[in-house]
Amino acid sequence: MCSPEEATLLRLEEVFLATLARISSLVLQPLLKAAPEPSDPRGRECLRLLQQLHRSFQQLWEVTEESLHSLRERLCPLDSTGLESLLLLRSADHVVQVHVEYIESYTNCMVVQAFQKAAKRRSEYWRDQQKALRQLLSGVGSEGPVGTALVQSLCQPLSHHVQQYVLLLLSLRDTIGKHHPTWELVVHAATLFENLQSFMRQALDQALATQALWHTLSSRQRDVLCTPARRLLQDSQDIPVTVTPLRAERVLLFDDALVLLQGHNISTFDLKLMWVDPAQDRCTFHLLTPEEEFSLCTNDPQGQVVWQWKMTQAVCQALRGKKGFPVLGAGLEPSEPPTCRCVAYTFCAEGRLCQATYEGEWCWGRPHGRGTLKWPDGRHHVGEFCQGLEHGFGIHLVPQASEDKFDCYKCHWWKGSMCGYGICEYSTDEVYKGYFWEGLRHGFGVLESAPQAPQLCKYTGHWERGQRSGYGIEEDGDRGERYIGMWQADQRHGTGVLVTQAGICYQGTFQADKIVGPGILLSEDDSLYEGTFTRHLTLVGKGKVTFPNGFTLEGSFGSGAGRGLHTQGVLDTAALPPDPSSTRRRQLGLGAFPMESRWQGVYGPFQDFVRAGCPGDLQEALLGFHVQNSRELRKSQEYLCCERTQPEDGVGKIEDILDDLLLNREPKALQQCLRKALSNALHPLGKLLRMLMLTFQATYAGIGANKHLQGLAQEEVKQHAQELWAAYRGLLQVALQRKGQAPEKGEDVETRDLQVHALVLPLVLPSFYSELFTLYLLLHEREDSLYSQGIINLSLFPDTKLLEFLDVQKHLWPLKDIKLSTNQGCAESVMEKRDTPWSGISASCQPLNVCRRSSPQWTPRRSWRCWRGHTGKLRPLCHGCWARSTSCPWMTCCHCSSTWCHVPILLRAHPEGRHEAAPLAHPLGFQGTLVAQPFLDKLQNGEGGPGLRRSEHGPWAREQDGPPEAAVGGNGCTVSGRRCCCLGWG
């Protein structure tokens, strides 16, 4: 059953719909009748506003018709729809929004007096319609200007209608009671229309005040400030206020800006970027903007309260982006504006930000948080800000004069300048990876030219105030030189070692980038020169040459154009030959560069990170951030994104890292924990190790692979192991401190050295092994070549001579299976278990026999493969050979694809059919017999073949051509990473 309120509401809608039809025909249609297009901008703007008002009016008409239709369906006896079917209840938000849009369009026309201007074009028509207009209004006398009646006719019926809505909805709420299913809908609708009623009164008051304001301003001020959507909220002529330290004759508070008028000067401040500081006293409060800070002072506390409240509410409304609904200062939004905001702003004041546009987060009038800063000259900065300055990680682009070229700085910033770790790519295609301080390179860093640059150069070392200073390594690809030593003011200065591509190694003193004073030069053939040099390592002045055979030449040296090197001195040939091992193993750089300060620029940031308590926000700035490749770096420049590799599943978070250290303090668990940490590129220890690997490779790889630097490299690895252990101890102390536990006692030197050599050194050696092993091979190259020659000579022995050399007892010789002739071509010796003296040996341990050609000179690139059936036979097969000489003693096993030496004394059968080394600490298996110990002595004494020696690693080994690798061979054995003929490393 329908309530009386619903019937009243139906009649109300019918009357209002008829009123809307009369307003449309009497007012809106005549206002919009075809007329010549206004030529002035103001006239065109008024026409646009009237057209917008007409569209809003049509939406209001349609909503009223829908509401009337829902009421008629509800009151129809044959229809059983519920109360919730009424449009005013089920779509109250939509209905109110339509009313708000109409009021906004109406007040916009009021502010710029669009009705009065349109009425002037047809003044006679409106005078004739004055009586009809006044019939639409209530409480308006018959006398008065036509413009007033025209304006009121478009708003007063709507205001009265909304008032009736509120009364009927409140009455309906009381009638149905709280237990009715639609009670909440009725309450919600009544609340919305009450707010709409307040909004309409407030909007009309603001529009009238704004319309009146324009008459009090000069034409210039009116042209600058007058916009249809702007509303006046407060005027200093109503409540006086003064501004300090700025000067202002008049202060105007609009809904979008605060305006200060001083003569012809107009200062406008965006409310979205204005922060209201609480009152400093009873009459003053402070305002913050991006470029100004000032205070507003009133004559009495009451005026201060009004101004501060209106300023606060205006800022809230401007940030919401709504023009006043809900009512100013009401609604669900907080009455206090947020401290942090996200707005775009262009700076005008002189300074480094002049004409720059910032878009991002703000706090108390300053850029704070993530944002983008753009200058008119093309400079960009994307990243983090703090109190108006670049602070944190950011990408900075600086365009260059040449087209499509720029410098990109992807690094950490501190109070407006680069400070911390960064990666910078310059327009010259040079790349710098390292640390900055106050915008300059400072600390450790690597500067490398592009691969396609005409002059290849790379510097790895320390910087000071933008210049190379301290310990560093420079590689000059153009000259084929590498300098290892001290720098000052961007020049080589102090003790240094110079290594050339030709294998020459020099140690001496540099000053202002030039060689000065005496020095030491070691040539490729181990000749030693002690004396003075020119810049290009030419012998000049007094000096002494010591040749590898012990001869010495002491005198004066010089050179001239076309004359070559000439000398005048004494040649001493009577000296005893020096020990070859000492001559070849002279080491340079030892004691010249203190180990503890050599790479302090790498250790220092980590120590600072630990001393600061391992703060997560400084982890990247001090330890560096991970960039996978140059393509990712280029992408970050082009798209100005700050994407970096983020830890997955918590790996890399400092809290988890410290907790893991506390849980793994036992010896076995600690070893696994350190191994995992050192292999993780996001772990602090892993970052430190990779930085040390970078310096090590820059020093000892390529041109730096010189045998005279092995001692220097060994010192460096030991120092790195000590620093890594100290870093672990520092992290552990921080972890204990965070958990409130007592720190561990300091270690004595003996305990520390034991942990470093027993625990850390084995874990870090694989990282440096490639360079270390190369240096080792170069240092022992001559011994390896002699050993290889000995192997070849042994392989040329006839079978009987070989067995005799091995001191194998003759009754154990398999005479019937060995063809004693050496000129019968290639033959195969076949074992028969039942007929041989070793028939008792298990089948899986049967030894391999070797078939050799009668001719000692074999065809190059000819090697041998073990038959897959493992019957003891060997079959020849053309295969690539690593051997340097034309005589090939190498074979390749077809089962394990291993390369090994065919000389039988170095092999024994593997239980799984593979081949393994026979360490010299154990007897060698040969043909089922045991090699007597005297054989080992013969080999060590050089008998049976020149230069055959026992390897320092245990098994017999020689170097193969090709790069040395620290890997596991095909047979699963590992011996210090060497390519070993008896280990089967392919």
Side-chain angles (χ1 to χ4, degrees):
M1 182 177 180
C2 297
S3 62
E5 288 81 3
E6 295 176 68
T8 306
L9 187 59
L10 174 63
R11 291 192 298 271
L12 180 65
E13 294 286 41
E14 291 175 344
V15 172
F16 184 63
L17 192 61
T19 303
L20 291 178
R22 295 181 61 194
I23 292 175
S24 177
S25 61
L26 288 175
V27 180
L28 286 179
Q29 295 298 333
L31 283 174
L32 293 173
K33 270 189 176 180
E37 182 75 15
S39 58
D40 60 302
R42 291 290 184 184
R44 288 194 295 270
E45 184 181 35
C46 290
L47 180 60
R48 181 186 61 82
L49 293 175
L50 290 174
Q51 292 172 346
Q52 177 62 39
L53 177 64
H54 183 262
R55 289 192 292 270
S56 301
F57 184 85
Q58 292 297 326
Q59 292 179 1
L60 181 62
W61 194 339
E62 293 173 1
V63 165
T64 306
E65 286 182 335
E66 292 178 9
S67 177
L68 179 60
H69 179 69
S70 66
L71 283 166
R72 285 173 176 171
E73 288 184 346
R74 166 70 176 158
L75 297 176
C76 181
L78 300 179
D79 198 346
S80 59
T81 56
L83 191 61
E84 65 276 1
S85 64
L86 297 182
L87 181 69
L88 291 179
L89 300 183
R90 60 180 169 84
S91 301
D93 295 275
H94 173 64
V95 175
V96 170
Q97 183 60 34
V98 171
H99 283 72
V100 169
E101 291 177 1
Y102 176 79
I103 292 299
E104 288 179 349
S105 301
Y106 171 77
T107 53
N108 288 343
C109 294
M110 280 186 60
V111 167
V112 297
Q113 295 183 326
F115 302 120
Q116 291 83 345
K117 293 177 182 178
K120 284 183 181 180
R121 293 198 297 267
R122 303 183 63 185
S123 56
E124 294 182 1
Y125 170 81
W126 292 114
R127 280 196 297 269
D128 296 340
Q129 299 295 328
Q130 185 175 2
K131 183 178 180 181
L133 289 174
R134 296 188 184 280
Q135 292 177 356
L136 297 174
L137 307 176
S138 60
V140 178
S142 59
E143 301 297 331
V146 178
T148 303
L150 179 64
V151 171
Q152 290 183 351
S153 65
L154 291 171
C155 181
Q156 192 185 75
L158 179 63
S159 301
H160 176 73
H161 188 66
V162 171
Q163 183 181 5
Q164 294 300 316
Y165 270 162
V166 174
L167 295 176
L168 290 174
L169 288 173
L170 292 176
S171 177
L172 182 62
R173 179 196 64 183
D174 297 336
T175 300
I176 63 177
K178 292 184 178 181
H179 301 290
H180 196 277
T182 59
W183 186 82
E184 292 184 357
L185 287 176
V186 176
V187 172
H188 176 67
T191 304
L192 285 178
F193 281 100
E194 282 182 330
N195 289 336
L196 177 62
Q197 189 177 13
S198 300
F199 164 74
M200 292 179 63
R201 287 196 299 265
Q202 191 178 75
L204 292 174
D205 292 342
Q206 291 176 359
L208 289 173
T210 307
Q211 181 183 8
L213 171 68
W214 304 137
H215 299 288
T216 64
L217 300 178
S218 64
S219 59
R220 179 179 178 276
Q221 293 173 340
R222 186 166 54 250
D223 291 341
V224 173
L225 298 177
C226 181
T227 60
R230 178 167 285 174
R231 302 290 181 270
L232 178 66
L233 303 182
Q234 189 63 49
D235 190 347
S236 61
Q237 289 186 347
D238 299 330
I239 301 179
V241 66
T242 58
V243 183
T244 55
L246 303 180
R247 298 181 60 187
E249 298 174 351
R250 191 173 182 182
V251 180
L252 302 174
L253 175 61
F254 293 98
D255 59 349
D256 63 337
L258 178 69
V259 178
L260 305 182
L261 303 179
Q262 178 65 32
H264 295 291
N265 296 328
I266 303 175
S267 301
T268 304
F269 302 95
D270 188 357
L271 291 183
K272 294 179 181 178
L273 289 172
M274 181 169 289
W275 283 259
V276 182
D277 203 6
Q280 300 173 351
D281 54 42
R282 300 183 62 186
C283 299
T284 305
F285 63 96
H286 197 59
L287 297 177
L288 297 176
T289 66
E291 299 184 75
E292 297 287 351
E293 296 184 16
F294 52 93
S295 300
L296 295 184
C297 305
T298 58
N299 297 331
D300 54 73
Q302 185 178 0
Q304 182 268 335
V305 171
V306 173
W307 270 98
Q308 182 174 341
W309 183 85
K310 287 198 173 183
M311 285 288 303
T312 302
Q313 299 307 310
V315 171
C316 291
Q317 180 176 302
L319 291 173
R320 286 198 305 265
K322 299 179 180 179
K323 295 297 183 180
F325 188 83
V327 187
L328 185 66
L332 300 177
E333 290 83 354
S335 58
E336 290 295 329
T339 302
C340 298
R341 308 164 190 176
C342 189
V343 189
Y345 178 77
T346 300
F347 293 86
C348 301
E350 294 295 329
R352 73 181 190 92
L353 297 180
C354 181
Q355 301 302 317
T357 300
Y358 174 79
E359 184 174 358
E361 299 175 353
W362 297 76
C363 183
W364 288 108
R366 300 290 181 269
H368 191 89
R370 292 182 61 86
T372 302
L373 194 60
K374 299 180 181 180
W375 282 267
D377 59 2
R379 286 178 295 157
H380 284 66
H381 182 91
V382 181
E384 300 171 1
F385 292 80
C386 181
Q387 295 299 315
L389 299 174
E390 299 89 335
H391 190 92
F393 180 79
I395 298 178
H396 193 83
L397 291 183
V398 180
Q400 299 302 308
S402 56
E403 188 177 359
D404 296 332
K405 290 287 186 177
F406 50 83
D407 294 344
C408 176
Y409 302 86
K410 183 177 182 180
C411 51
H412 284 264
W413 299 69
W414 177 269
K415 295 183 178 179
S417 62
M418 290 181 290
C419 183
Y421 185 80
I423 300 177
C424 304
E425 190 172 55
Y426 302 96
S427 58
T428 58
D429 290 333
E430 289 183 324
V431 177
Y432 173 81
K433 300 180 182 180
Y435 292 91
F436 289 85
W437 178 257
E438 295 183 352
L440 300 174
R441 300 170 193 156
H442 191 90
F444 172 76
V446 179
L447 179 65
E448 186 173 7
S449 62
Q452 66 274 15
Q455 294 183 349
L456 296 177
C457 187
K458 180 180 180 181
Y459 174 80
T460 305
H462 296 83
W463 300 75
E464 185 175 345
R465 307 296 298 175
Q467 295 181 327
R468 291 172 286 186
S469 286
Y471 183 77
I473 293 94
E474 182 190 47
E475 181 171 342
D476 191 338
D478 236 13
R479 301 172 60 180
E481 294 179 352
R482 179 172 295 176
Y483 173 79
I484 305 169
M486 306 306 295
W487 294 75
Q488 183 178 337
D490 233 12
Q491 294 180 327
R492 295 177 289 184
H493 192 91
T495 307
V497 174
L498 190 65
V499 184
T500 69
Q501 204 164 11
I504 297 175
C505 196
Y506 164 81
Q507 177 179 332
T509 304
F510 291 77
Q511 186 174 356
D513 220 25
K514 297 180 181 178
I515 297 174
V516 297
I520 300 174
L521 185 141
L522 289 170
S523 63
E524 182 70 8
D525 65 349
D526 299 322
S527 297
L528 171 65
Y529 173 79
E530 301 170 274
T532 55
F533 303 84
T534 64
R535 180 181 180 182
H536 302 290
L537 295 181
T538 304
L539 283 59
V540 62
K542 293 184 178 181
K544 178 182 178 181
V545 179
T546 303
F547 297 97
N549 59 3
F551 293 179
T552 61
L553 175 61
E554 187 171 3
S556 298
F557 297 84
S559 62
R563 298 175 54 192
L565 179 66
H566 56 87
T567 180
Q568 182 178 0
V570 178
L571 177 64
D572 183 6
T573 61
L576 294 175
D579 182 7
S581 60
S582 62
T583 302
R584 291 191 299 270
R585 299 186 182 183
R586 292 190 179 100
Q587 296 294 298
L588 298 180
L590 298 177
F593 318 111
M595 289 185 300
E596 61 277 1
S597 61
R598 195 177 299 171
W599 293 113
Q600 191 57 40
V602 181
Y603 306 142
F606 192 96
Q607 295 167 358
D608 295 339
F609 176 69
V610 173
R611 279 195 293 265
C614 301
D617 55 341
L618 293 181
Q619 184 174 359
E620 280 191 344
L622 294 176
L623 304 184
F625 50 86
H626 179 60
V627 175
Q628 294 180 354
N629 48 47
S630 58
R631 184 177 182 182
E632 181 182 338
L633 178 63
R634 173 64 64 179
K635 179 180 178 182
S636 68
Q637 299 171 26
E638 293 176 352
Y639 299 99
L640 292 180
C641 61
C642 300
E643 297 179 358
R644 288 154 289 164
T645 301
Q646 299 297 329
E648 298 180 0
D649 300 329
V651 178
K653 293 183 179 179
I654 193 63
E655 294 80 7
D656 299 334
I657 289 172
L658 297 178
D659 292 342
D660 192 43
L661 293 179
L662 287 177
L663 296 175
N664 297 278
R665 297 166 65 182
E666 297 298 326
K668 290 185 179 179
L670 176 58
Q671 186 177 24
Q672 295 297 327
C673 178
L674 289 178
R675 178 179 288 108
K676 180 180 177 182
L678 294 173
S679 61
N680 182 8
L682 300 177
H683 195 285
L685 294 178
K687 287 185 178 181
L688 180 58
L689 177 60
R690 276 154 183 77
M691 196 76 76
L692 297 175
M693 289 169 56
L694 175 69
T695 63
F696 198 80
Q697 292 168 359
T699 310
Y700 304 108
I703 300 177
N706 191 291
K707 61 185 177 182
H708 303 297
L709 300 180
Q710 187 190 24
L712 194 68
Q714 290 174 339
E715 276 188 349
E716 207 160 293
V717 172
K718 293 176 183 177
Q719 181 64 26
H720 292 343
Q722 291 184 11
E723 292 293 340
L724 285 167
W725 177 252
Y728 159 74
R729 294 281 300 173
L731 291 174
L732 180 60
Q733 299 294 356
V734 172
L736 293 171
Q737 183 179 1
R738 288 193 177 189
K739 295 297 182 180
Q741 303 179 20
E744 288 191 348
K745 296 181 179 179
E747 294 178 316
D748 54 22
V749 177
E750 184 178 355
T751 304
R752 183 203 64 186
D753 292 344
L754 180 62
Q755 294 285 9
V756 168
H757 290 87
L759 183 61
V760 182
L761 202 55
L763 296 177
V764 302
L765 267 179
S767 302
F768 307 104
Y769 183 79
S770 180
E771 291 76 22
L772 279 176
F773 183 58
T774 301
L775 296 176
Y776 174 85
L777 289 180
L778 293 173
L779 195 62
H780 298 87
E781 186 175 12
R782 182 167 300 181
E783 291 89 337
D784 283 346
S785 63
L786 294 176
Y787 165 74
S788 302
Q789 188 60 41
I791 290 291
I792 293 174
N793 292 344
L794 271 180
S795 69
L796 302 180
F797 278 19
D799 292 346
T800 54
K801 294 293 185 181
L802 186 59
L803 293 172
E804 183 179 356
F805 172 78
L806 295 176
D807 293 333
V808 178
Q809 299 177 15
K810 289 190 177 184
H811 69 276
L812 296 177
W813 288 13
L815 296 179
K816 66 178 180 178
D817 293 329
I818 296 182
K819 297 183 180 182
L820 302 180
S821 172
T822 61
N823 57 359
Q824 295 177 3
C826 181
E828 297 181 357
S829 65
V830 182
M831 298 185 303
E832 297 291 342
K833 292 200 304 182
R834 60 183 182 274
D835 299 325
T836 55
W838 52 86
S839 58
I841 302 178
S842 63
S844 62
C845 294
Q846 290 181 12
L848 297 175
N849 290 341
V850 178
C851 171
R852 296 187 307 278
R853 293 181 180 273
S854 58
S855 173
Q857 296 296 328
W858 296 338
T859 305
R861 303 189 61 79
R862 168 74 68 176
S863 64
W864 300 77
R865 286 184 179 270
C866 172
W867 190 24
R868 190 175 184 84
H870 290 281
T871 60
K873 296 183 179 181
L874 295 175
R875 293 185 175 180
L877 182 67
C878 183
H879 184 71
C881 177
W882 289 96
R884 295 179 178 176
S885 65
T886 57
S887 300
C888 177
W890 305 98
M891 296 181 181
T892 302
C893 177
C894 63
H895 178 70
C896 57
S897 299
S898 303
T899 304
W900 41 279
C901 180
H902 81 281
V903 179
I905 60 171
L906 300 181
L907 296 175
R908 66 183 179 189
H910 192 277
E912 298 179 2
R914 303 177 186 178
H915 308 99
E916 65 179 356
L920 293 183
H922 307 285
L924 293 174
F926 174 72
Q927 305 291 351
T929 66
L930 297 180
V931 180
Q933 183 64 34
F935 166 66
L936 302 180
D937 300 333
K938 288 184 179 183
L939 291 181
Q940 295 191 41
N941 294 332
E943 300 181 22
L948 197 62
R949 65 174 179 85
R950 176 181 178 181
S951 170
E952 296 182 2
H953 295 288
W956 290 84
R958 75 177 292 278
E959 174 194 4
Q960 297 187 23
D961 291 344
E965 300 176 359
V968 176
N971 60 359
C973 303
T974 305
V975 176
S976 304
R978 302 195 62 182
R979 291 188 176 276
C980 183
C981 59
C982 58
L983 281 182
W985 285 24

